[in-house]
Amino acid sequence: YCPRCAAPATRAEENSTCTACGYTVWAAAIPGVQGLAVDPDGCVLLGRRARDPGAGLWDIPGGFLGEREDPVDGLRREFLEETGLAIDIGAFLGIWVESYGERFVSCATWVVRPIGGVLGAGDDLEHLEWFPPTALPATADVAFPTHSEILAVWAAAQVIGTGT
């Protein structure tokens, strides 16, 4: 239905158009943020998801941004909600587009460093665990395909000694 006049809308692959007023709404990816928290021993923090999508699988801590929220502020908020940790923001790794149900998320990804707080799973996560770059979960055990790709890129940099 049209968000302006509430008349029925016709749906195409990337938009919907109102049959009454002609207003077009374009599909757009949801903005998200996530962080690879690395401890002093070089291990990365992952969380086991508490609910779908991907319930029971490993996830990179993060989440959706509010409409006017700064991405770095959002990353700090999400990290605190999901892990109990305050973080310093490090290297920006990039943006990955991930399928999330019927929507897509454009997820900005950073390497972060814990600087305080009390480690504890919260929000979407039921368990937290530190993994060395040489012993990451198998792809089948990771909630989202891009997370395996991100972890592989990070782990390769750690193994060859460039570090991030």
Side-chain angles (χ1 to χ4, degrees), residues 34-67:
Q34 60 194 8
L36 293 179
V38 180
D39 73 4
D41 296 324
C43 295
V44 67
L45 182 65
L46 299 177
R48 197 173 288 280
R49 289 188 59 81
R51 55 182 173 258
D52 283 328
L57 300 175
W58 293 107
D59 191 8
I60 297 171
F64 300 118
L65 289 176
E67 190 168 319

Side-chain angles (χ1 to χ4, degrees), residues 17-33:
T17 303
C18 179
T19 56
C21 72
Y23 181 69
T24 299
V25 176
W26 291 90
I30 302 165
V33 290

Side-chain angles (χ1 to χ4, degrees), residues 89-102:
I89 309 298
F92 178 70
L93 294 179
I95 297 174
W96 280 263
V97 177
E98 181 64 60
S99 174
Y100 191 87
E102 293 185 13

Side-chain angles (χ1 to χ4, degrees), residues 33-39 44-47 59-64 69 71-89 109-123 125 128 130:
V33 290
Q34 60 194 8
L36 293 179
V38 180
D39 73 4
V44 67
L45 182 65
L46 299 177
D59 191 8
I60 297 171
F64 300 118
E69 189 172 28
V72 170
D73 292 342
L75 180 58
R76 286 187 176 111
R77 175 188 52 76
E78 282 288 344
F79 228 86
L80 190 60
E81 289 173 4
E82 291 195 347
T83 70
L85 297 176
I87 55 170
D88 261 347
I89 309 298
T109 307
W110 284 267
V111 174
V112 303
R113 183 176 59 89
I115 57 170
V118 177
L119 184 65
D123 197 24
L125 304 179
L128 297 167
W130 294 96

Side-chain angles (χ1 to χ4, degrees), residues 36-39 42-45 93 111 131-134 136 148-159 162-164:
L36 293 179
V38 180
D39 73 4
C43 295
V44 67
L45 182 65
L93 294 179
V111 174
F131 292 87
T134 56
L136 295 169
S148 291
E149 178 185 331
I150 293 163
L151 289 166
V153 167
W154 171 79
Q158 305 315 299
V159 170
T162 61
T164 22

Side-chain angles (χ1 to χ4, degrees), residues 10-17 24-29 102-104:
T10 58
R11 184 173 180 179
E13 186 173 326
E14 294 191 16
N15 64 45
S16 296
T17 303
T24 299
V25 176
W26 291 90
E102 293 185 13
R103 300 293 310 268
F104 290 90

